[in-house]
Amino acid sequence: MNLADLHLLYALPTALLLAGLAAKFPTFLRSWRDPDARGTWVVLLWALCVFVSVTPASIHEINTVTGVPNIAAPWSYSLLTGFSGACLAMIITWRDEPSPRRRRRVRAVWVIHAGTITALWVTFLLADVPEERIYDLDTYYATTPWMREHILLYLLAFLISTLVAASMIRSWIPQVSARWLRAGLRFLQTGYAFGVLYAVAKLTAMGARWAGTDWDGLSTYAAPPCAIFGATLMAIGFLLPVIGPFLQTWPREQLAHWRLRPLARVIDAVVPATARARVSRFAPLDLRLLQRQQHIHDGLLRLAPHFDHDLHRLAYRAASAAHDDAKARGLAGAVALQAALDSYSSGIRRETSGQPSHIGSDVTDHLEAISRGLTRPRVLADLRRRALTAGPSVHESPGNGASAPGASASGIAAPGIAPSEASAAGASAAPGTAGSAPPGTAPLGTEPLGSSSPGTQPLTAGGRRAPGPHSSHHPPAGGRTESMNADD
């Protein structure tokens, strides 16, 4: 490795830190009062300052701008010492429960490291270092009075802080069960191991100078990569417990939020967007997803009196012939919802024979598939036409067996039979046939596909659950207003 390659090593950790800070900036603004979030940001910002300051180009620029040769040394060493203290304080904050003892320990860490930084500046001001050294300052001035003490002070402070933090993590890991925190601690432990190698390499090179031997390569070429890799792993270790859960849930929630967008736009015709609570586009994703789901369920409650369950069953059967179950349910739900929206727009309510109107889980459990189906208008138009055409000849609803003879699943009488005659034929069927049902049970075909089992009845248009045929439970007075379906 040559000196030019050292410049490239600083790019990856710097970019990683910037990405982590940018990803968590909104969370930081919302949780500024949280000491854990604030401490994490202090550590990451400090690490970023260290990486920016210790690059060879930055060292030369600092020396040039100030006009003081090698003043970048106490500046960089102070940042490194402060970073060590911030890491140690953060580990204590994570590990210990809030208590006066924890506050005293954190305060002691900051006092000790602040004293070390003060001593670094004092020893530098007392030293005579007129020649600028960017790559080999530690070994070049290893025997210079006061500069020798200056370099030893920062290396020993860094080494001691690293060993103490690594020891605390080692004894803490067996007690941690949280996956992301445990992974973060593993990264921290590995990062601190590289930190120890960095300090040992520097001290060994200085000792060789005192002994009259030239081992400067340890300080110039071996130590910097150890410091960079170690600091990078430590930054990842502090980031993982904070952004790990976010990265785990964000893709799934973002995909669900995006997939529900077409359905939410259609529902705007029933529940205008202006009626919703105002939620900023910068609000947490889970809150925006919850609001979109609530908006859709409110719209479904208003569409319940206009929802044609027979059309839904017919569309499902027609779609099942060409698609898998999930896609068929999505297309069937989209067809039925479009018909319900048309009915809602015209102000026509479907007759329900006195039964509460509801939209069951056969729709509410497949909202994402229905939303995707709404983006295919030609397919929906063709499916609706085929469903209505096949209506008079269909006598079987999906999963519910045969319907009553002489009546179609869509409620349309068979050819040659008037609607009143079809109803009479179904009512006078012999006991035990499909035209009648045992006492206390509902006739086949009267429940929508996928209707809830007793105890989990679907929501009605008023927000209450429709009572089951055997249920004696009565909803609380007043019921719930438009809200999310409990099946979701």
Side-chain angles (χ1 to χ4, degrees):
M1 178 184 294
N2 56 43
L3 295 177
D5 294 333
L6 291 176
H7 295 260
L8 300 177
L9 294 176
Y10 297 93
L12 176 61
T14 303
L16 178 65
L17 288 169
L18 285 173
L21 289 169
K24 296 305 294 178
F25 184 70
T27 304
F28 170 71
L29 293 180
R30 291 192 301 268
S31 57
W32 168 250
R33 297 183 181 275
D34 183 2
D36 290 345
R38 192 166 60 244
T40 301
W41 260 76
V42 169
V43 169
L44 296 178
L45 283 174
W46 216 310
L48 184 62
C49 291
V50 170
F51 278 116
V52 171
S53 299
V54 300
T55 60
S58 297
I59 291 174
H60 176 70
E61 189 67 21
I62 292 172
N63 294 334
T64 303
V65 170
T66 59
V68 180
N70 300 309
I71 198 173
W75 171 258
S76 301
Y77 296 160
S78 297
L79 287 175
L80 184 60
T81 303
F83 175 67
S84 300
C87 292
L88 189 55
M90 190 64 193
I91 292 172
I92 294 173
T93 302
W94 281 0
R95 175 176 168 169
D96 298 346
E97 294 292 333
S99 64
R101 178 175 178 269
R102 189 182 78 170
R103 288 195 297 271
R104 288 194 300 269
R105 295 183 68 184
V106 172
R107 189 180 303 115
V109 166
W110 285 116
V111 169
I112 292 172
H113 285 79
T116 303
I117 293 173
T118 302
L120 285 173
W121 284 96
V122 170
T123 52
F124 177 77
L125 293 175
L126 294 174
D128 182 19
V129 285
E131 185 176 350
E132 182 186 50
R133 308 298 297 187
I134 295 178
Y135 298 101
D136 61 348
L137 181 138
D138 297 340
T139 51
Y140 186 84
Y141 289 113
T143 57
T144 301
W146 292 111
M147 194 61 184
R148 173 185 56 221
E149 287 76 8
H150 174 84
I151 298 169
L152 277 176
L153 182 61
Y154 105 82
L155 285 175
L156 290 176
F158 176 78
L159 180 60
I160 293 172
S161 178
T162 299
L163 290 174
V164 171
S167 175
M168 293 177 63
I169 292 175
R170 181 181 179 183
S171 61
W172 184 26
I173 284 181
Q175 307 171 22
V176 175
S177 58
R179 183 178 64 173
W180 289 107
L181 178 57
R182 191 180 184 91
L185 293 177
R186 293 293 188 190
F187 273 97
L188 284 174
Q189 197 172 37
T190 308
Y192 278 124
F194 276 101
V196 171
L197 292 177
Y198 165 81
V200 169
K202 287 279 189 179
L203 289 171
T204 302
M206 289 186 64
R209 273 295 183 119
W210 296 338
T213 306
D214 185 358
W215 288 1
D216 292 3
L218 289 175
S219 176
T220 306
Y221 299 107
C226 290
I228 293 171
F229 292 148
T232 303
L233 293 174
M234 290 170 63
I236 295 174
F238 282 113
L239 277 172
L240 273 182
V242 179
I243 69 172
F246 165 79
L247 294 176
Q248 183 177 358
T249 60
W250 184 87
R252 181 172 62 251
E253 292 178 348
Q254 182 63 51
L255 184 61
H257 188 267
W258 176 75
R259 284 177 172 174
L260 290 174
R261 186 178 182 183
L263 179 56
R265 287 185 170 181
V266 169
I267 293 296
D268 282 343
V270 182
V271 183
T274 54
R276 288 182 283 173
R278 305 281 295 190
V279 175
S280 169
R281 62 183 301 177
F282 299 106
L285 178 60
D286 56 348
L287 179 60
R288 289 186 282 124
L289 175 60
L290 181 63
Q291 187 205 36
R292 178 162 287 182
Q293 292 170 336
Q294 179 71 59
H295 175 60
I296 291 172
H297 281 273
D298 288 346
L300 293 179
L301 287 172
R302 292 194 180 188
L303 288 176
H306 308 273
F307 191 84
D308 190 342
H309 294 284
D310 297 322
L311 175 61
H312 180 248
R313 283 194 290 269
L314 290 168
Y316 172 76
R317 174 160 184 165
S320 297
H323 305 286
D324 58 68
D325 183 71
K327 191 170 184 179
R329 290 185 181 276
L331 293 173
V335 166
L337 280 180
Q338 280 190 338
L341 284 166
D342 294 341
S343 176
Y344 176 87
S345 300
S346 61
I348 301 175
R349 298 169 64 94
R350 291 183 54 79
E351 294 184 6
T352 57
S353 303
Q355 294 295 323
S357 303
H358 63 271
I359 295 179
S361 59
D362 52 339
V363 173
T364 58
D365 286 349
H366 306 279
L367 294 181
E368 291 187 20
I370 292 172
S371 185
R372 288 197 299 272
L374 290 171
T375 62
R376 307 176 65 185
R378 293 184 180 179
V379 175
L380 294 184
D382 178 69
L383 180 60
R384 185 173 181 177
R385 186 183 67 255
R386 287 190 287 120
L388 294 176
T389 302
S393 62
V394 175
H395 300 282
E396 183 177 337
S397 60
N400 285 340
S403 299
S408 71
S410 63
I412 304 174
I417 302 178
S420 60
E421 296 174 356
S423 300
S428 61
T433 65
S436 64
T441 62
L444 283 171
T446 60
E447 288 295 330
L449 176 65
S451 59
S452 304
S453 60
T456 57
Q457 299 299 329
L459 288 177
T460 67
R464 302 182 178 88
R465 295 202 171 273
H470 304 289
S471 174
S472 61
H473 175 71
H474 298 283
R480 289 195 306 138
T481 57
E482 295 170 359
S483 63
M484 291 180 60
N485 191 317
D487 291 336
D488 279 357

